[in-house]
Amino acid sequence: MKELKGRVAAITGAASGIGRMLAKNLAEQGCHLAVADIDEAGLRETADMVSRSGVRVSAHTVDVSRQYQVYRFAEKAVSTHGGVQLLINNAGVTLSETLEDVTFDDFEWIMGINFWGVVYGCKAFLPHLRKEPEAHIVNLSSVFGIFTVPNNGTYCATKFAVRGFTETLCQELRHTNIRVSCVHPGGIRTNIARNGRFYKAAEPSLTREEVSALFENVLARTSADKAARTIIEGIRKNRPRIMVGPDAHAYDMLKRLFPVTLQRLAAFTPPARWLRSRL
Ligand SMILES: NC(=O)c1ccc[n+]([C@@H]2O[C@H](COP(=O)([O-])OP(=O)(O)OC[C@H]3O[C@@H](n4cnc5c(N)ncnc54)[C@H](O)[C@@H]3O)[C@@H](O)[C@H]2O)c1
């Protein structure tokens, strides 16, 4: 989708992080917006911020893990704006716990948002996108849809599932008006670690606060604004696969060249004392 000016984008998870910056950057390029999130106050802030660009903005309180709420969002977005051409399924959460100890309630919670939220978004909007001359679906996976790390198994499972779903959708829609992109960000500085459910990190003595600080200060090297701009460039170039950040490119290459070694290295957890010294 080369031209974004005058188009309408529906974005989930737009109250914070990458979703908010996608809204801001798309609005600056003249794209009208239907923004959705479960966090009403954050969503209002995003809507106020982007409406300064002079585009039409509608805000929708939506829990993406509820199928009927996502279908209602699609109907309202289309009736408010007269159509939607770009759908970005961005809402997502994290969960730190081993696969042995995680409860089914927590596993279903993260699957409901990260995987089913994407499926509901695609299926609810597809009939509307089909009616447009040109449309685009963007689903957020992660580098953890490419390789895995301990104590994030549920998150990895959701992001591998998003990748499988999205790559198949891309194949099935190849002869239609709809292009499909799967996004794999590396570490992006957002609230994702603080917003998630936390029980046990790979180094079990680390607290939630320490893990969040390590993520923000050490691992997340790319800003949410830069991530949004990379995703938008990928949409403009109709890229089926969008890697975000230098770390994402590096992990992707390592996984292809040394799949077993990368899995072994990623299972290694540095000692707690060394990790704390990085804070
Ligand atoms: N930050 C990173 O390093 C990183 C890396 C790889 C992938 N991602 C993915 O990028 C996407 C955006 O994450 P972010 O980093 O901006 O995180 P964030 O926490 O800043 O934003 C996520 C947004 O999703 C919303 N959300 C959570 N549950 C919801 C629900 N049930 N219904 C609707 N909205 C809900 C939150 O309220 C929040 O506004 C996620 O899918 C995440 O998995 C992030």
Side-chain angles (χ1 to χ4, degrees), residues 11-191:
I11 309 171
T12 67
S16 169
I18 300 172
R20 174 175 280 178
M21 287 301 120
L22 280 165
K24 176 178 162 280
N25 280 280
L26 284 169
E28 283 169 3
Q29 298 187 29
C31 198
H32 305 294
L33 298 170
V35 288
D37 207 287
I38 199 170
D39 168 9
E40 235 175 306
L43 190 63
R44 180 48 50 209
E45 275 178 36
T46 300
D48 289 346
M49 178 202 281
V50 297
S51 56
R52 283 180 225 130
S53 301
V55 296
R56 211 171 44 240
V57 183
S58 60
H60 309 257
T61 307
V62 177
D63 178 347
V64 297
S65 68
R66 305 280 167 204
Q67 190 188 125
Y68 73 95
Q69 291 191 25
V70 180
Y71 273 76
R72 198 176 55 194
F73 169 45
E75 294 292 339
K76 285 207 167 164
V78 168
S79 63
T80 305
H81 295 274
V84 168
Q85 295 83 41
L86 173 60
L87 167 68
I88 307 184
N89 289 302
N90 164 78
V93 290
T94 57
L95 167 58
S96 298
E97 180 54 292
T98 59
L99 289 171
E100 185 174 8
D101 291 341
V102 70
T103 65
F104 284 107
D105 269 0
D106 282 330
F107 209 153
E108 284 168 9
W109 168 76
I110 195 169
M111 269 289 173
I113 297 167
N114 290 11
F115 178 60
W116 285 108
V118 169
V119 177
Y120 298 151
C122 291
K123 288 184 74 74
F125 277 88
L126 262 168
H128 304 291
L129 298 176
R130 279 282 205 170
K131 293 180 191 150
E132 300 292 334
E134 189 189 17
H136 202 122
I137 296 174
V138 178
N139 293 338
L140 269 284
S141 175
S142 167
V143 283
F144 296 139
I146 292 173
F147 75 104
T148 63
V149 285
N151 293 54
N152 279 285
T154 56
Y155 184 79
C156 295
T158 65
K159 295 301 184 178
F160 270 76
V162 166
R163 177 178 162 201
F165 176 83
T166 307
E167 290 185 357
T168 310
L169 190 66
C170 183
Q171 291 172 321
E172 290 179 358
L173 295 178
R174 69 195 181 285
H175 296 309
T176 73
N177 59 322
I178 305 172
R179 299 278 71 81
V180 180
S181 300
C182 191
V183 182
H184 300 278
I188 314 296
R189 271 188 312 280
T190 68
N191 291 324

Side-chain angles (χ1 to χ4, degrees), residues 208-254:
R208 171 199 277 271
E209 183 52 40
E210 287 171 328
V211 169
S212 302
L214 271 172
F215 172 73
E216 286 155 18
N217 303 341
V218 183
L219 294 174
R221 312 300 300 178
T222 304
S223 72
D225 186 50
K226 173 73 181 138
R229 283 186 280 119
T230 305
I231 294 167
I232 292 169
E233 191 197 347
I235 296 167
R236 283 188 180 282
K237 294 189 171 159
N238 279 335
R239 291 211 172 108
R241 211 164 172 260
I242 304 174
M243 309 303 298
V244 182
D247 52 343
H249 285 281
Y251 289 131
D252 185 39
M253 196 169 69
L254 286 172

